[in-house]
Amino acid sequence: MTRQQEFTPSRRQFARLAATSLAVALSAASLAMLPTSAGAIGVAVPLGTASSYAVLAGQSVTNTGPSTINGDLGVSPGTAVSGFPPGTVNGTIHSADANSLQAQSDLTTAYNDAAGQAPDASISGDLGGQTLTAGVYKAPSSIGLTGTLTLDAQGDPNAVFIFQIGSTLTTASASRVLLVNGAQPCNVYWQVGSSATLGTASTFVGNILALTSITVTTNTTINGRALARNGSVTLDSDTITPSTCATGGTTGGTTGGTTGGTTGGTTGGTTGGTTGGTTGGTTGGTTGGTTGGTTGGTTGGTTGGTTGGSTGGTTGGTVPCPPVPCPPVPCPPAPCPPHPW
């Protein structure tokens, strides 16, 4: 009886155990609410010349309806491109030329780079409803997307998201990829082991690097690229716009240089103009005044002296006769003698 009482927890011990269990449960729940984060940071995948392409295929590109391609469109080694018009390509169409051949070579390099980066988190099933931070995510087989997938850069515009998908990528109608806190479409990569299919009226973000084919169904928007290595790209009234990353250094340097140049030029011009004007005016005024005064004084003095001297000399040396004419004899230098009358 005594031994049983020794091992029976008291009420106070039960209370402590319950409090500890509750704390663990709350902690787990709070962690579950945070964005899922990969342990490592992925490195941006170099696309090379393929970066100028919005659409690139291995065999053919087929379009239905008024699709808008805001970039180059190419195919290699295949040659077939159809549906433009009614589709519009705001770029250049390359069909089995040297440009598209090089782009396909660079796409292969990019595909292998994305596939070769070390994964640090696994994904499976459907990505809808999840929030992921920067990292490399690996799906052993197919992956789907229903609803919204949020990619959170956490304030880092250079955050890279890489999805390594073993088989197919399929998105549902009206699904979307949402970027928050500075995430950029140019830093999102989908390396697809076979083919990708994007659902009707979906909004997709990132660069699709597919081994085989890509099917983009009606009224889908891609803020990124549809690049297929071996198969075809099929479009239907879609809009595809490649994204290029903006770098803070280049932007800041350009902006700073332009602003500094403009400000410096304006300030320097104004200061130089004012200083030059003031200096020039003062110097010119002083020099002009001195020179003018000296020249004027000298000229005036000389002229005045000469004129005054001549006039004074002539006037002073000649004595006018009285009103009555003098005798016909010229007056001597002294005044005329008084007349007897």
Side-chain angles (χ1 to χ4, degrees):
M1 186 69 179
T2 303
R3 184 179 300 272
Q4 290 178 351
Q5 291 178 352
E6 183 179 351
F7 289 96
T8 300
S10 65
R11 292 182 179 178
R12 180 174 298 178
Q13 289 174 324
F14 271 122
R16 289 177 180 175
L17 288 172
T20 302
S21 299
L22 179 60
V24 171
L26 290 174
S27 177
S30 63
L31 288 175
M33 296 175 65
L34 295 175
T36 302
S37 175
I41 301 300
V43 178
V45 176
L47 297 178
T49 59
S51 63
S52 70
Y53 285 80
V55 174
L56 181 62
Q59 293 302 317
S60 67
V61 176
T62 304
N63 172 66
T64 301
S67 292
T68 300
I69 310 302
N70 294 312
D72 291 343
L73 181 150
V75 58
S76 181
T79 59
V81 177
S82 61
F84 299 93
T88 301
V89 177
N90 295 317
T92 304
I93 296 178
H94 297 278
S95 177
D97 60 6
N99 194 296
S100 57
L101 177 63
Q102 182 60 53
Q104 274 290 357
S105 176
D106 291 344
L107 172 57
T108 299
T109 300
Y111 180 93
N112 292 333
D113 182 281
Q117 294 198 36
D120 50 5
S122 296
I123 53 175
S124 61
D126 196 289
L127 297 176
Q130 297 189 44
T131 296
L132 304 177
T133 56
V136 182
Y137 298 89
K138 185 176 183 63
S141 57
S142 298
I143 206 77
L145 171 58
T146 303
T148 300
L149 166 65
T150 302
L151 303 181
D152 185 354
Q154 297 182 315
D156 180 9
N158 297 316
V160 175
F161 303 81
I162 298 176
F163 296 89
Q164 302 168 333
I165 302 170
S167 185
T168 61
L169 167 65
T170 305
T171 70
S173 297
S175 61
R176 66 172 181 162
V177 177
L178 177 64
L179 304 183
V180 298
N181 295 326
Q184 298 191 72
C186 56
N187 282 328
V188 181
Y189 304 89
W190 304 82
Q191 178 259 316
V192 182
S194 58
S195 297
T197 301
L198 305 185
T200 301
S202 58
T203 302
F204 196 79
V205 171
N207 305 287
I208 304 175
L209 316 177
L211 180 62
T212 310
S213 298
I214 300 172
T215 300
V216 187
T217 59
T218 310
N219 295 327
T220 291
T221 298
I222 300 178
N223 193 348
R225 298 171 178 85
L227 311 176
R229 289 181 55 190
N230 302 317
S232 300
V233 175
T234 304
L235 308 171
D236 184 359
S237 304
D238 307 305
T239 300
I240 303 178
T241 304
S243 173
T244 301
C245 285
T247 56
T250 302
T251 304
T254 303
T255 303
T258 302
T259 304
T262 302
T263 304
T266 303
T267 304
T270 303
T271 304
T274 303
T275 304
T278 302
T279 304
T282 303
T283 304
T286 303
T287 303
T290 303
T291 304
T294 302
T295 303
T298 302
T299 303
T302 301
T303 303
T306 302
T307 303
S310 299
T311 304
T314 302
T315 305
T318 303
V319 179
C321 294
V324 179
C326 293
V329 181
C331 294
C336 296
H339 293 278
W341 58 82

